[in-house]
Amino acid sequence: MEKGIFKMKDRIAQISLFSALILVAASYLPWFYLKPAYYVFRYVVLALLGISTALTFSFKRTTSVRFMKLFFAFIVLVAVEFLFFKILHYRFHLEDLTQLIVAFLCLCLGINMKNDLKFWMNVSYFYTILLIIMGLINCYYYAKGFYVPEYYLFNKGKNQVGALIAIGAAALFFFGMKLKENRVHYWAVFFLAVEALLMIRSRASFFALIACVILIVVKDADWKWKWNVKTVLTIIALLVVSYIFFTGFIGNELHTFFSGGKNLNHNTSDVLSSNRLERDSEAVKVLSDNGLSGELSQASGIKLVHNYVILRLSRYGVWALPFLAFYIYFGIRILCGVFKTWKTEVTNVGFIVCILPFIVSLFEPSFPYGPGEIQLLVFLLLGFSFRSIHENELSRDGADSAEDQVWYQEIKELVHKRKK
């Protein structure tokens, strides 16, 4: 009876999670984005994530991950700071706190859901397909086709849609590299995702995805070269294809992708960054003039800064040090997870995928935690990776408490099912 109740709770949690993923993809469709339905969808997504977390939550499992303890302490510290700002009538941005809470919620869900690797692979696969379909619909709706001469998605969720697709693509490429089963399916969807990124012209996410792919290939590919005629001919063929690819029509399209679009000035750095470097430099000047309080008492008047750290420092001055400290710690923890061993375990997919939002955080204001539910898949997979590490430690060292003994038995059963 008790086991049946647990299975029912898990099933409801899974249904709630899948429903949330579908709503995230649907919310960026042109008929809903930034309209009343969009905000309704966001609240429903948060409610569904809350249901899934409540049904699967285990205090013991969650606190067994040291990162979660520090993350929770960071959230509490930011909440106390914001309460202090509220009392003193200082300016602060509540989304800086809510983005952290959503990320923490997704991490809890990834840690506590009782599912194996195959479940998360299926989640990544079908979610990415949904996102690609959504991206293509947006392209056709706004451009009346799939040719992209301008920034037609500007102010229409281009960067958010690009990040969603790139995150799913990074996970699928990694799965394709690590597993032989269904490799073609994962890579096929990955290439479709790359095409979608090029069409919607999401450059930051595209660059971050390419960086992730290079890291995965360099780190996990089996580099066994046999210098023979076949190898030499393959290298020559790749060079010829690369030359054709980067010249002529395709080369012109790539040039448009990287530096065309809106009526920007002709300064190369401004074109490539959409004038964001100028805003970053203005924010640094605000910080240098008022490093103690930033914009807490008075707005500087500069446009939204597209760099996570610089934006928080300019907003809160010295009070942004907790943001900076945890950002650095988070980045180091991710790198440790990626480079702990030369060959990355497939269950460490969360660390690999998390590289992407950190790269994009150099060019966007809300990454690596937000905006909204954009990072949902990242933190779900990261939570799963944290859980996998803990499972391996339990399998190696045994379990002491009664609850750990139960969890340890579940791990053994999962391992036995995978072997079958």
Side-chain angles (χ1 to χ4, degrees):
M1 179 69 178
E2 189 175 351
K3 187 176 284 188
I5 293 174
F6 280 123
K7 284 186 177 180
M8 184 181 297
K9 287 171 60 178
D10 287 343
R11 182 58 58 87
I12 295 172
Q14 291 174 22
I15 293 172
S16 296
L17 175 59
F18 276 112
S19 300
L21 293 171
I22 292 170
L23 284 179
V24 169
S27 66
Y28 285 93
L29 289 170
W31 306 285
F32 306 123
Y33 183 62
L34 295 185
K35 295 176 181 177
Y38 170 77
Y39 301 100
V40 172
F41 283 0
R42 292 191 67 176
Y43 288 122
V44 174
V45 167
L46 290 175
L48 291 170
L49 291 176
I51 291 170
S52 297
T53 303
L55 290 173
T56 60
F57 185 78
S58 166
F59 182 80
K60 176 76 174 180
R61 291 173 186 166
T62 304
T63 56
S64 67
V65 179
R66 183 170 179 267
F67 179 85
M68 296 299 287
K69 297 176 185 177
L70 294 174
F71 198 177
F72 182 75
F74 170 50
I75 290 173
V76 171
L77 181 58
V78 171
V80 171
E81 281 193 345
F82 281 11
L83 179 61
F84 176 68
F85 297 156
K86 179 73 173 177
I87 293 172
L88 296 181
H89 302 288
Y90 283 163
R91 303 173 71 256
F92 66 94
H93 299 262
L94 189 60
E95 68 268 18
D96 289 340
L97 176 61
T98 57
Q99 288 164 6
L100 300 176
I101 294 173
V102 172
F104 185 83
L105 195 68
C106 293
L107 270 170
C108 290
L109 193 51
I111 290 172
N112 290 297
M113 284 197 79
K114 298 179 182 295
N115 290 291
D116 59 10
L117 176 64
K118 189 174 181 180
F119 171 82
W120 292 111
M121 290 167 62
N122 289 334
V123 167
S124 303
Y125 183 78
F126 291 109
Y127 183 47
T128 306
I129 290 176
L130 280 177
L131 296 174
I132 292 171
I133 293 171
M134 176 266 292
L136 294 178
I137 290 173
N138 283 5
C139 286
Y140 191 81
Y141 182 88
Y142 292 113
K144 309 305 178 186
F146 299 116
Y147 175 71
V148 188
E150 297 290 338
Y151 280 78
Y152 64 85
L153 281 179
F154 185 68
N155 286 336
K156 293 178 170 52
K158 174 173 72 75
N159 295 328
Q160 292 94 317
V161 172
L164 283 166
I165 295 173
I167 288 165
L172 295 185
F173 184 83
F174 181 69
F175 288 140
M177 283 290 295
K178 301 301 292 185
L179 302 172
K180 293 181 180 179
E181 184 183 359
N182 294 327
R183 173 177 291 180
V184 175
H185 298 115
Y186 294 127
W187 281 351
V189 177
F190 164 77
F191 283 114
L192 286 174
V194 171
E195 289 292 329
L197 283 176
L198 289 171
M199 277 191 275
I200 65 176
R201 307 191 68 223
S202 181
R203 294 174 297 177
S205 295
F206 178 80
F207 277 126
L209 177 59
I210 295 302
C212 276
V213 167
I214 292 173
L215 173 65
I216 293 167
V217 171
V218 170
K219 195 169 181 300
D220 291 288
D222 293 322
W223 299 100
K224 295 179 181 178
W225 291 90
K226 291 183 179 180
W227 289 101
N228 50 34
V229 175
K230 184 178 179 180
T231 302
V232 173
L233 289 176
T234 301
I235 293 173
I236 293 173
L238 287 172
L239 291 173
V240 171
V241 170
S242 298
Y243 176 77
I244 295 172
F245 188 80
F246 288 103
T247 58
F249 173 77
I250 295 177
N252 291 333
E253 293 305 303
L254 287 173
H255 176 75
T256 301
F257 174 77
F258 289 117
S259 60
K262 294 185 303 173
N263 294 322
L264 301 172
N265 62 48
H266 295 291
N267 184 291
T268 303
S269 62
D270 287 333
V271 169
L272 291 176
S273 68
S274 300
N275 287 329
R276 292 173 183 175
L277 292 178
E278 182 181 347
R279 298 183 215 171
D280 291 348
S281 62
E282 289 177 0
V284 171
K285 187 176 184 304
V286 168
L287 186 61
S288 63
D289 292 340
N290 196 2
L292 289 178
S293 59
E295 295 181 295
L296 281 173
S297 57
Q298 185 176 358
S300 64
I302 62 176
K303 292 183 178 180
L304 183 63
V305 177
H306 280 60
N307 179 290
Y308 181 83
V309 172
I310 295 176
L311 177 60
R312 271 71 197 173
L313 289 172
S314 64
R315 280 178 173 176
Y316 309 120
V318 71
W319 297 94
L321 289 179
F323 287 95
L324 177 61
F326 191 78
Y327 179 87
I328 293 172
Y329 166 73
F330 192 4
I332 293 173
R333 183 65 188 88
I334 295 304
L335 290 176
C336 289
V338 172
F339 293 102
K340 187 175 182 180
T341 57
W342 177 245
K343 289 291 183 181
T344 311
E345 295 290 333
V346 67
T347 51
N348 285 357
V349 58
F351 297 113
I352 288 289
V353 175
C354 211
I355 292 289
L356 192 145
F358 264 93
I359 294 174
V360 179
S361 71
L362 301 175
F363 312 102
E364 292 293 338
S366 303
F367 289 66
Y369 309 106
E373 298 79 37
I374 297 296
Q375 315 298 344
L376 195 155
L377 183 61
V378 169
F379 286 101
L380 287 173
L381 293 176
L382 183 60
F384 167 70
S385 294
F386 278 131
R387 173 181 174 176
S388 298
I389 291 174
H390 189 66
E391 287 180 353
N392 291 335
E393 291 173 350
L394 285 176
S395 299
R396 184 182 64 249
D397 302 330
D400 298 326
S401 67
E403 187 170 354
D404 276 350
Q405 288 287 353
V406 173
W407 195 10
Y408 181 49
Q409 188 61 37
E410 292 172 358
I411 296 165
K412 289 172 67 178
E413 291 175 2
L414 282 173
V415 171
H416 181 66
K417 286 180 181 179
R418 290 178 190 174
K419 287 181 179 179
K420 284 185 175 180

